[in-house]
């Protein structure tokens, strides 16, 4: 089987990164986008790819059994901080087919790649401790935005 990550990405320290465009192409070839953000963030906005899995970074060590070392994973979060920690965790337990999405969902959106949004799940507030869902009116399903 072809190594999907061979000749892709760039190294930053001991982390192999891919750009959002590379990640999108890799997902179309079978790689799985492993989103390590918390549920409340994923409920509002997530990557618009079919091979997508969400395991919160704080639960990842307890849920390693749900992952296969035979699959290719792209670790992602909002901006690339927690997903980098997840990258190191997976490396430490023997996962070799992993890369990190540089810039996370923020850069993904900036590049115009597809995103699924549910505005009913949007959080707003004047500070992090006051974040609440405030747009519960009407029923709007997830909508795909972005261009490919």
């Amino acid at each position: 089987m072809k190594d999907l990550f061979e000749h892709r990405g760039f190294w930053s320290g001991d982390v192999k990164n891919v750009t959002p465009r590379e990640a999108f192409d890799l997902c179309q070839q079978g790689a799985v986008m492993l989103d390590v953000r918390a549920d409340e963030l994923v409920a509002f906005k997530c990557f618009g790819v079919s091979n997508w899995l969400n395991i919160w970074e704080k639960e990842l060590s307890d849920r390693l059994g749900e992952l296969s070392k035979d699959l290719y994973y792209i670790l992602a979060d909002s901006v690339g901080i927690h997903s980098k920690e997840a990258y190191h965790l997976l490396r430490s337990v023997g996962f070799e087919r992993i890369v990190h999405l540089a810039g996370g969902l923020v850069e993904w959106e900036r590049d115009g790649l597809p995103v699924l949004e549910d505005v009913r799940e949007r959080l707003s507030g004047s500070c992090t401790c006051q974040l609440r869902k405030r747009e519960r009116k009407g029923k709007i399903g997830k909508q795909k935005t972005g261009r490919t």
Side-chain angles (χ1 to χ4, degrees), residues 9-22:
F10 60 95
W11 287 91
S12 175
D14 56 352
V15 176
K16 186 169 187 177
N17 296 277
V18 291
T19 66
R21 178 60 62 186
E22 285 177 314

Side-chain angles (χ1 to χ4, degrees), residues 104-124:
L105 185 60
V106 169
E107 290 298 322
W108 178 274
E109 279 190 286
R110 203 171 284 162
D111 281 1
L113 295 167
V115 172
L116 300 175
E117 285 185 8
D118 186 343
V119 294
R120 295 171 304 153
E121 301 295 331
R122 183 183 353 231
L123 301 175
S124 62

Side-chain angles (χ1 to χ4, degrees), residues 47-61:
F47 296 93
V49 294
S50 57
N51 296 337
W52 175 85
L53 174 67
N54 172 237
I55 300 177
W56 185 28
E57 186 259 337
K58 302 286 186 208
E59 298 175 349
L60 189 57
S61 61

Side-chain angles (χ1 to χ4, degrees), residues 37-100:
R37 294 176 300 142
D39 291 345
E40 61 270 16
L41 297 175
V42 171
F44 167 52
K45 193 178 285 187
C46 62
F47 296 93
V49 294
S50 57
N51 296 337
W52 175 85
L53 174 67
N54 172 237
I55 300 177
W56 185 28
E57 186 259 337
K58 302 286 186 208
E59 298 175 349
L60 189 57
S61 61
D62 294 332
R63 297 178 59 186
L64 288 173
E66 298 176 32
L67 303 175
S68 169
K69 290 182 180 176
D70 295 330
L71 295 177
Y72 291 86
Y73 294 104
I74 301 165
L75 295 158
D77 67 1
S78 297
V79 294
I81 295 172
H82 299 293
S83 53
K84 207 172 276 185
E85 295 170 11
Y87 178 94
H88 290 298
L89 171 66
L90 292 183
R91 274 282 187 212
S92 72
V93 295
F95 282 83
E96 295 181 4
R97 295 175 169 179
I98 59 173
V99 291
H100 177 255

